[in-house]
Amino acid sequence: MKNFITLILFFLLIFSCAQNTNPIKNGTFELYENDELIGKIYRLNNFQIETYENVDDHIARIDYKTDSTYLIRGIEKVQVGVDSIVFLNKYKMIKKNEFQITAEPYNVNLDYKYKAVLKKISDDVDEKYSDTLKYLNRNYKITEEK
């Protein structure tokens, strides 16, 4: 009986660790195009804040579809200038904490493909952004979109 309980606890531990294995769901990332740093992304669960040089910050909502795909859409308090295109992002690890990202329009028929590299530089999010991201995750329900 003792071995049976140990075995169950072992599987519960493995299962709980597997639930949090998405390496791009939380943290601070650098975004690169053609090996050039273009911005930073601060991500917490289903929202991210993107920062770029000489451009206002962008907030985006993320709807995870699988372990390697998610939908991403821009949001803002007043819907002025937000791109209504939803992108299907696919990623694959190319080395530890570095991911190849490919994004294609999901809700419109456009022949466009965006490629970049996302480098995770921290598991944490700067306090300047984390409060906003926590608020968004707490107060906005994520609905499944087909």
Side-chain angles (χ1 to χ4, degrees), residues 8-142:
I8 288 176
L9 290 174
F10 175 74
F11 282 116
L12 286 174
L13 176 65
I14 298 251
F15 181 73
S16 67
C17 289
Q19 296 301 311
N20 297 317
T21 58
N22 189 330
I24 67 165
K25 194 167 185 175
N26 297 301
T28 300
F29 303 85
E30 293 178 333
L31 184 64
Y32 290 83
E33 288 179 2
N34 301 318
D35 296 325
E36 183 178 329
L37 176 65
I38 63 163
K40 282 192 174 179
I41 295 175
Y42 303 90
R43 187 177 287 170
L44 186 60
N45 296 321
N46 292 98
F47 290 91
Q48 72 180 28
I49 297 174
E50 304 170 17
T51 62
Y52 302 96
E53 192 86 20
N54 302 319
V55 177
D56 290 339
D57 293 351
H58 298 283
I59 298 175
R61 187 179 102 192
I62 303 165
D63 300 309
Y64 295 95
K65 303 303 264 177
T66 69
D67 286 343
S68 62
T69 63
Y70 56 92
L71 297 174
I72 191 163
R73 72 192 76 232
I75 65 166
E76 62 182 320
K77 292 177 186 172
V78 179
Q79 293 292 318
V80 177
V82 173
D83 195 345
S84 62
I85 297 175
V86 176
F87 285 91
L88 176 63
N89 285 17
K90 299 175 185 175
Y91 74 92
K92 66 178 180 178
M93 185 181 287
I94 50 181
K95 60 183 169 182
K96 184 174 171 67
N97 293 323
E98 196 168 312
F99 308 90
Q100 175 68 52
I101 303 288
T102 304
E104 298 181 61
Y106 181 76
N107 62 336
V108 293
N109 189 14
L110 287 176
D111 187 22
Y112 174 78
K113 188 180 282 191
Y114 174 78
K115 291 187 177 190
V117 172
L118 196 62
K119 292 183 181 180
K120 187 170 194 173
I121 58 173
S122 174
D123 288 328
D124 300 319
V125 174
D126 187 304
E127 190 175 321
K128 175 181 178 182
Y129 302 106
S130 67
D131 290 343
T132 300
L133 292 169
K134 287 175 186 174
Y135 173 82
L136 290 168
N137 278 288
R138 199 173 41 246
N139 293 297
Y140 290 91
K141 182 172 174 55
I142 303 299

